[in-house]
Amino acid sequence: MEAGEAAGALLFLLAAAVSLLAALSTGAVDFTYLVTVVGEGSPSPPSSPSWWWWYEEWWVWVRSRAVAPALQVGVWACMVMSVMLVVEAAYNSAVSIAFRLVGWRPERRFKWEPLAGDGDGDEEKGVDAAAAAAADYPMVMVQIPMYNELEVYKLSIRAVCELKWPKERLIIQVLDDSTDAFIKNLVELECEDWAKKGLNIKYATRSGRKGFKAGALKKGMELDYAKQCEYVAIFDADFQPEPDFLLRTVPFLVHNQNVALVQARWVFVNDRISLLTRIQRTFLDYHFKAEQEAGSATFSFFSFNGTAGVWRREAIDDAGGWKDRTTVEDMDLAVRATLKGWKFIYLGDIRKVSSLKKIYMLYSFFLVRRVVAPAVAFILYNVIIPLSVMIPELYLPIWGVAYIPTALLIVTAIRNPENLHTVPIWILCESVMSMHRLRAAVAGLLQLQEFNQWIVTQKVGNNAFNENNETPLLQKTRKRVNLPEIVLSVFLIFCATYNLVFHGKNSFYINLYLQGLAFFLLGLNCVGTLPSHCCF
């Protein structure tokens, strides 16, 4: 066990212990509550009881002896999972902030030196000197998987072709799975234009889309010219690397032979174009600044993000290559490579496999983030709390439904202060997305028919590029109604109205109305179409 892993384990246990002790000492956690209505008995019936009286008595009996106890079990299960979430979030934030305060950088721990041919003034060297310098660079292939990327194909291809790397040591591979013949023709013509400028750019297509992105990457790796490359960089169509991207990342692989992946952070090119992109940035900032940093700084397990990463080809082959058995091919390959003992670098940290690291992978990365988080968000806030307005016997601990969500909100949103004003909208969108995340988690765990479906999000690039009219804007398609969201919105609005008319011991109707409205609007696909500056 390495020192970083031991420190991470101790910090995590300390955070859990402090949270539990604080809750117990303040009386916030009370597991002694029981449903006491069962033994209270019923009032004496009137002299001539009506059918409605008998119905109410029957409903109270069923509610107190069956419905409320069953829901109470769900409440306590959600409370336990909520504690797991808040401990995980607090731990990630604390580790991330601590490493930033000490000014830790990758060059302090891992060998990084500029490549022998890297330096200023290369353009002034003679032909022979330039050729000799180029020989010091390893062969690198850059893969750009695409699927009907009308708006951003020029942006991504141009950015990759402008990377600072010797042309004779670089192969650019555009993997086009587009189903639109017009778009495919545009992408192929763009590749031909850059090839005429001296770039070694290859345009590759397939007869089908088996395996989706993983299938395309796998096919690209099997081509003869790809086998001569030691390293493979992968950029999604909406990612635009800086010109010195390879110069900053590849040396880590060259000088550290046991490193499989160098993962860089990526950002939106249009994060301010709409309210939806602002909300997505809030989530991604927490993911990169807290989850990824903490994971790599202690246990070093983090998932490949699918873009902005450079792989060692040997590590890909050793891990079994790209698998088209799943649509989360990036995480799948990262897990297999990690279990093979390969090391990763993300914002400056790498580690080797250990039993403790495997436990961390299962608990933190898979259980808490992929199962617990969507389960709590959906079941507690979209099912149990709405039903509680009609089940007065149900006990909801204030620390679980108010304090913990507030703590999670703070540690998540504080990493992106410029978008704090969008937090209320973000909360509502996350409420809706929790349904889809839980459904995806269940489908993956049970390997249901839908678990291997792949829906690609169309990209629209940035405003500046579109304003030049170099490519047309996406044609608006007819919106379809998402029935699950509409059904849940009706349920939430009904519960809110019931709570408003028949005041109980809790008043959740404002929250429930807002949640119902969010489900309704997203059910009608009313999202992402309004520029953010129109509202904020």
Side-chain angles (χ1 to χ4, degrees):
M1 182 189 303
E2 295 190 5
E5 295 179 355
L10 291 176
L11 283 173
F12 189 87
L13 292 175
L14 180 61
V18 170
S19 301
L20 182 59
L21 289 175
L24 291 173
S25 62
T26 59
V29 178
D30 180 13
F31 293 102
T32 63
Y33 179 86
L34 297 173
V35 179
T36 58
V37 179
V38 176
E40 292 181 355
S42 302
S44 301
S47 56
S48 299
S50 63
W51 68 270
W52 181 255
W53 184 90
W54 287 111
Y55 170 77
E56 286 186 328
E57 285 297 298
W58 171 82
W59 168 238
V60 169
W61 187 89
V62 172
R63 188 179 67 194
S64 62
R65 289 165 174 78
V67 179
L71 288 176
Q72 196 65 59
V73 173
V75 168
W76 287 119
C78 289
M79 294 302 100
V80 172
M81 291 189 290
S82 296
V83 172
M84 294 168 64
L85 279 175
V86 75
V87 170
E88 170 81 2
Y91 162 76
N92 287 338
S93 297
V95 172
S96 173
I97 293 173
F99 270 78
R100 286 179 175 270
L101 290 177
V102 299
W104 193 89
R105 293 179 59 83
E107 294 83 355
R108 293 185 178 181
R109 182 169 183 176
F110 309 107
K111 185 176 181 181
W112 188 96
E113 295 177 358
L115 299 178
D118 184 17
D120 296 332
D122 287 347
E123 65 278 1
E124 299 177 0
K125 297 178 179 179
V127 176
D128 293 339
D136 294 326
Y137 289 78
M139 284 294 298
V140 175
M141 181 172 70
V142 178
Q143 292 183 305
I144 313 175
M146 290 191 174
Y147 175 72
N148 293 336
E149 308 290 0
L150 176 62
E151 304 299 333
V152 295
Y153 74 93
K154 281 192 175 184
L155 285 171
S156 56
I157 294 177
R158 180 173 61 190
V160 170
C161 289
E162 292 176 350
L163 286 171
K164 293 181 180 179
W165 202 260
K167 294 181 180 179
E168 59 270 27
R169 310 299 291 174
L170 179 67
I171 298 177
I172 302 170
Q173 186 184 65
V174 178
L175 303 167
D176 191 6
D177 269 3
S178 300
T179 55
D180 189 309
F182 173 71
I183 298 177
K184 293 183 71 170
N185 184 58
L186 290 177
V187 175
E188 185 174 12
L189 290 175
E190 184 71 11
C191 293
E192 292 176 357
D193 288 342
W194 283 102
K196 293 176 182 177
K197 298 177 184 179
L199 275 297
N200 188 2
I201 184 170
K202 309 290 186 180
Y203 178 74
T205 60
R206 299 187 294 163
S207 57
R209 294 190 65 218
K210 182 179 183 297
F212 305 107
K213 180 180 176 181
L217 294 172
K218 179 180 179 181
K219 180 67 175 180
M221 294 283 287
E222 294 173 350
L223 298 176
D224 291 337
Y225 62 81
K227 297 177 182 179
Q228 61 181 304
C229 298
E230 299 176 62
Y231 308 110
V232 180
I234 301 173
F235 301 121
D236 279 347
D238 57 346
F239 184 80
Q240 300 171 47
E242 295 294 328
D244 63 345
F245 183 92
L246 294 179
L247 295 177
R248 291 186 289 113
T249 55
V250 173
F252 278 112
L253 294 164
V254 172
H255 299 305
N256 300 273
Q257 295 302 313
N258 52 0
V259 172
L261 167 69
V262 178
Q263 172 71 68
R265 183 184 173 183
W266 55 274
V267 294
F268 287 115
V269 298
N270 60 345
D271 62 316
R272 296 176 178 273
I273 197 173
S274 72
L275 187 59
L276 178 60
T277 58
R278 284 179 175 267
I279 293 170
Q280 288 176 312
R281 180 180 174 180
T282 299
F283 168 77
L284 287 174
D285 276 348
Y286 172 75
H287 171 66
F288 287 114
K289 295 179 180 179
E291 291 181 343
Q292 295 283 62
E293 286 185 2
S296 66
T298 52
F299 297 95
S300 89
F301 176 74
F302 55 87
S303 174
F304 173 46
N305 292 322
T307 185
V310 185
W311 280 90
R312 185 186 301 274
R313 184 190 174 100
E314 179 187 354
I316 296 178
D317 295 337
D318 184 48
W322 294 102
K323 302 290 187 181
D324 55 15
R325 63 186 179 187
T326 175
T327 55
V328 287
E329 70 289 329
D330 41 16
M331 181 178 68
D332 179 66
L333 178 60
V335 171
R336 287 186 281 114
T338 300
L339 294 177
K340 282 286 186 177
W342 288 97
K343 300 182 179 182
F344 291 0
I345 296 178
Y346 176 80
L347 294 180
D349 212 330
I350 51 177
R351 294 288 188 279
K352 66 182 179 180
V353 178
S354 68
S355 298
L356 186 59
K357 180 176 179 178
K358 293 179 181 178
I359 294 174
Y360 171 81
M361 291 167 57
L362 292 174
Y363 173 79
S364 178
F365 187 78
F366 288 106
L367 178 60
V368 176
R369 300 182 197 176
R370 299 296 183 268
V371 179
V372 169
V376 171
F378 180 73
I379 296 175
L380 180 59
Y381 300 105
N382 293 314
V383 178
I384 292 180
I385 289 181
L387 286 175
S388 70
V389 303
M390 297 180 287
I391 313 294
E393 297 86 356
L394 192 62
Y395 171 62
L396 297 174
I398 187 64
W399 58 269
V401 298
Y403 302 154
I404 285 182
T406 302
L408 290 171
L409 173 63
I410 292 174
V411 298
T412 302
I414 201 65
R415 308 312 294 266
N416 190 8
E418 64 183 48
N419 282 332
L420 287 178
H421 60 286
T422 66
V423 165
I425 307 298
W426 170 69
I427 294 174
L428 294 176
C429 286
E430 283 293 299
S431 177
V432 180
M433 289 305 299
S434 66
M435 177 182 69
H436 297 283
R437 293 191 182 112
L438 180 60
R439 184 169 62 183
V442 173
L445 290 172
L446 302 180
Q447 295 192 4
L448 302 180
Q449 183 178 3
E450 62 184 271
F451 93 102
N452 205 28
Q453 293 180 351
W454 179 259
I455 300 176
V456 178
T457 304
Q458 290 180 316
K459 288 84 175 177
V460 297
N462 56 22
N463 288 332
F465 189 73
N466 287 326
E467 287 173 359
N468 293 331
N469 295 320
E470 296 187 39
T471 55
L473 289 173
L474 289 172
Q475 298 296 321
K476 292 188 178 295
T477 57
R478 184 177 180 180
K479 296 179 179 178
R480 66 181 181 87
V481 175
N482 300 312
L483 188 59
E485 285 88 342
I486 297 297
V487 171
L488 200 54
S489 72
V490 173
F491 165 73
L492 291 169
I493 292 174
F494 171 79
C495 293
T497 304
Y498 184 96
N499 190 212
L500 178 62
V501 175
F502 305 100
H503 288 288
K505 58 182 180 180
N506 295 313
S507 297
F508 298 127
Y509 57 87
I510 295 178
N511 305 64
L512 296 178
Y513 272 129
L514 292 174
Q515 288 177 237
L517 179 62
F519 272 93
F520 182 76
L521 292 177
L522 269 70
L524 296 179
N525 280 317
C526 296
V527 63
T529 58
L530 186 64
S532 60
H533 66 267
C534 294
C535 298
F536 300 94

